[in-house]
Amino acid sequence: DSRWDSRSPSPVRRSRGPAGRHRGPRSGDRRRARSASCSRGRRRPRSRSSPLRHRCRSSGHSHRWPCDHAEPRQSQPERDRRTPARSTAFAAAENGSQDGGVAFIRHYTKLISDCGRQRHWREAIFYLGEMRERHLSPNVITFNAAMSACSKAQQWESALALMSEIRREGMSPDVITYNTAIHACSKHQWELALRLLVDMRESGLQPQLITYSAAASACEKGQQWELALCLFKEMRQNGHRPNAVTYSSMISAYGRGHHWQQALNVLEEMRQGSLQPDRITYNAAVTACGKGKQWDQALHLIGDMRRRQLHPDHVTYGSAITACEASQHWQMALQVLDDAQRSRTSLDLGIYNAAISVCEVCQEWTQALGLLRRMQQRGPSPKGVTYCRAISACKKRQQWRHAVELLSEMQHLRLAPDVATCDDAVSACHGSRNRRRLPVAQDPTHEA
């Protein structure tokens, strides 16, 4: 007796043994089943070429498209069990014919949004291309989700390419599209951010508070603080009330222009309003005071932070030490450093370098060497810049023995000194007539 197996992709004969049990398909039947499955063309259709795929291959940490990272021998149900959101989307695909694929597009949009939260911009673009393979047309909301994923991963070129693709699909970008694109350009492309803002107005869309904040932040980070202040002024004229992020950007813009008094006025305006300044706002104000050589105002702001139960971080203390450096108050700089250590703040290399630089400017070579030895004992490990500033401090007091010792330590640690450091060591020995004490210069790549 024989019957047809309905579970096979092609008719496969199953035979019964003498005991009535199924033996399974014969070997010839299995070969015919495989050949029939291949002849039906069950391979995945190749997607059409896209500039986004080319950009995704050529940029980032990998040169492969995201689908190449998946296991090729892994079946679709196994991937669905590993990613619940993806299995939900594929479960909705079974009902796609009933509602015209609307639910399927909605679930793909959710997948892309989840990729954006995790900053997986490659996977977001991959799902966008997969929608086209399934003959689904992404809407503006789907494109906005993909642009947001690219923006959070600082891939501004991919975000603008997606915005251009919206226009090629015959759709019009909305306010969220422009806000996402401007935010993507807010790190390093202030000119593109302003161009998008002008394009938004010409399209008949009104900029929002987040639009002005992102554009002003782009100008502030691009050293265009005057343009940033003009945007803040226009924002207030249009009836938008600043939020905490906007106030912080305004203070940073005034700080870059060395207008520390205006920065403190903005901080006071924020205090009198309904908004309370956070740590980021105070750090911007302390940095503004540091660039304006107002060390006393910077220390006053740190005390105000503690009264408001806002714990200063390494950015706060580093800006305060920089303010002391500009005013040549090395005692206050060391006091700030000690306060940071007592508060158990994680001190990075920049804070120690700033403190040693204060001692260098004030010709306090003993304090500079003490900070260097402290770094060697407690960390972080000093780098070439740290040694260079300590040698410069010894040179100003003609301490040739310590200068030669530090230069030998750099050679032992395979830290290449620059020309200025060698000149400082030579000058220190020249003042004491001990040129022969200098170590022989070696290749920094060669072990001492």
Side-chain angles (χ1 to χ4, degrees):
D1 296 334
S2 63
R3 63 170 185 160
W4 300 104
D5 188 4
S6 59
R7 296 174 296 176
S8 303
S10 62
V12 179
R13 183 174 303 217
R14 297 177 65 91
S15 61
R16 270 182 204 278
R21 297 181 179 179
H22 295 288
R23 293 182 182 177
R26 300 174 184 175
S27 60
D29 296 335
R30 288 197 296 267
R31 287 194 296 269
R32 286 191 295 271
R34 286 196 297 268
S35 62
S37 177
C38 294
S39 63
R40 292 184 182 183
R42 289 183 174 271
R43 293 184 178 180
R44 186 174 181 176
R46 181 177 298 179
S47 61
R48 58 185 180 182
S49 60
S50 174
L52 290 176
R53 291 202 170 194
H54 176 70
R55 187 183 304 279
C56 189
R57 291 192 188 101
S58 60
S59 62
H61 300 285
S62 176
H63 296 282
R64 295 184 297 175
W65 183 245
C67 61
D68 298 335
H69 293 279
E71 296 82 3
R73 296 183 180 180
Q74 193 176 20
S75 62
Q76 186 67 46
E78 292 177 352
R79 291 203 303 267
D80 294 346
R81 287 194 298 268
R82 187 178 60 182
T83 56
R86 184 180 175 89
S87 61
T88 305
F90 278 95
E94 299 178 356
N95 301 326
S97 59
Q98 299 178 3
D99 53 1
V102 177
F104 199 27
I105 295 176
R106 187 182 300 114
H107 281 283
Y108 260 112
T109 304
K110 184 179 182 302
L111 280 176
I112 295 175
S113 300
D114 293 339
C115 293
R117 296 186 187 95
Q118 300 176 3
R119 298 184 180 182
H120 294 167
W121 66 279
R122 297 177 182 271
E123 286 78 0
I125 297 179
F126 167 70
Y127 287 139
L128 196 62
E130 195 175 63
M131 292 181 66
R132 296 189 180 93
E133 294 175 358
R134 296 177 178 272
H135 304 287
L136 295 171
S137 299
N139 52 23
V140 179
I141 301 177
T142 310
F143 276 107
N144 290 342
M147 289 180 60
S148 178
C150 296
S151 175
K152 292 178 181 178
Q154 299 183 6
Q155 298 294 327
W156 62 271
E157 294 180 348
S158 299
L160 295 184
L162 287 171
M163 187 175 182
S164 301
E165 198 166 348
I166 292 176
R167 294 189 175 98
R168 286 196 300 266
E169 294 291 336
M171 296 178 290
S172 299
D174 57 1
V175 178
I176 300 178
T177 309
Y178 278 102
N179 291 341
T180 307
I182 294 175
H183 184 270
C185 300
S186 61
K187 294 292 183 181
H188 308 287
Q189 302 293 327
W190 64 272
E191 294 180 350
L192 289 178
L194 293 182
R195 191 179 305 172
L196 288 170
L197 182 60
V198 174
D199 189 15
M200 183 178 183
R201 295 169 180 167
E202 294 178 352
S203 301
L205 300 175
Q206 295 296 328
Q208 297 177 345
L209 176 62
I210 188 174
T211 313
Y212 284 108
S213 299
S217 178
C219 295
E220 181 264 328
K221 294 176 182 177
Q223 307 294 332
Q224 303 294 325
W225 60 274
E226 294 180 351
L227 293 177
L229 295 178
C230 291
L231 289 175
F232 289 132
K233 183 179 180 180
E234 181 181 349
M235 177 191 64
R236 294 193 176 188
Q237 291 177 356
N238 292 335
H240 298 289
R241 297 184 59 184
N243 53 12
V245 179
T246 311
Y247 274 115
S248 300
S249 300
M250 291 175 62
I251 294 174
S252 298
Y254 278 118
R256 290 188 180 274
H258 299 277
H259 296 287
W260 62 272
Q261 188 62 49
Q262 286 82 352
L264 294 182
N265 292 337
V266 173
L267 181 62
E268 185 64 25
E269 177 185 348
M270 187 178 181
R271 290 171 180 170
Q272 295 178 359
S274 58
L275 298 176
Q276 295 297 327
D278 55 1
R279 183 187 301 172
I280 299 177
T281 310
Y282 271 103
N283 287 344
V286 173
T287 303
C289 294
K291 293 181 179 180
K293 301 181 181 181
Q294 301 295 323
W295 63 272
D296 51 347
Q297 295 291 339
L299 298 181
H300 177 73
L301 290 175
I302 292 178
D304 194 11
M305 290 179 64
R306 292 172 178 170
R307 288 189 294 270
R308 293 176 178 267
Q309 303 299 322
L310 295 175
H311 300 286
D313 55 1
H314 64 282
V315 178
T316 314
Y317 288 112
S319 301
I321 292 176
T322 303
C324 297
E325 177 186 1
S327 304
Q328 297 184 4
H329 285 79
W330 63 272
Q331 299 92 340
M332 298 304 302
L334 296 182
Q335 182 178 351
V336 172
L337 185 63
D338 294 338
D339 292 342
Q341 289 182 341
R342 284 194 295 267
S343 61
R344 297 180 180 180
T345 303
S346 59
L347 302 180
D348 56 357
L349 183 63
I351 294 180
Y352 277 102
N353 287 342
I356 294 177
S357 180
V358 176
C359 299
E360 173 198 356
V361 172
C362 299
Q363 300 183 5
E364 295 292 334
W365 64 273
T366 55
Q367 300 294 335
L369 291 182
L371 292 176
L372 181 63
R373 302 310 177 194
R374 187 191 304 182
M375 293 176 64
Q376 294 175 346
Q377 296 175 359
R378 304 178 184 178
S381 300
K383 301 298 182 181
V385 179
T386 313
Y387 279 98
C388 292
R389 293 179 179 177
I391 291 175
S392 178
C394 295
K395 170 248 181 180
K396 293 181 179 180
R397 287 293 186 179
Q398 297 183 359
Q399 298 293 325
W400 63 270
R401 294 182 181 273
H402 296 285
V404 171
E405 181 181 355
L406 292 176
L407 195 62
S408 300
E409 289 183 10
M410 292 185 66
Q411 189 175 7
H412 179 70
L413 296 174
R414 301 175 66 180
L415 298 175
D418 53 5
V419 179
T421 305
C422 296
D423 291 341
D424 291 339
V426 171
S427 299
C429 295
H430 177 74
S432 301
R433 299 178 181 179
N434 286 278
R435 293 186 182 181
R436 297 181 180 179
R437 299 288 185 175
L438 288 174
V440 179
Q442 295 183 1
D443 188 359
T445 61
H446 180 70
E447 294 183 359

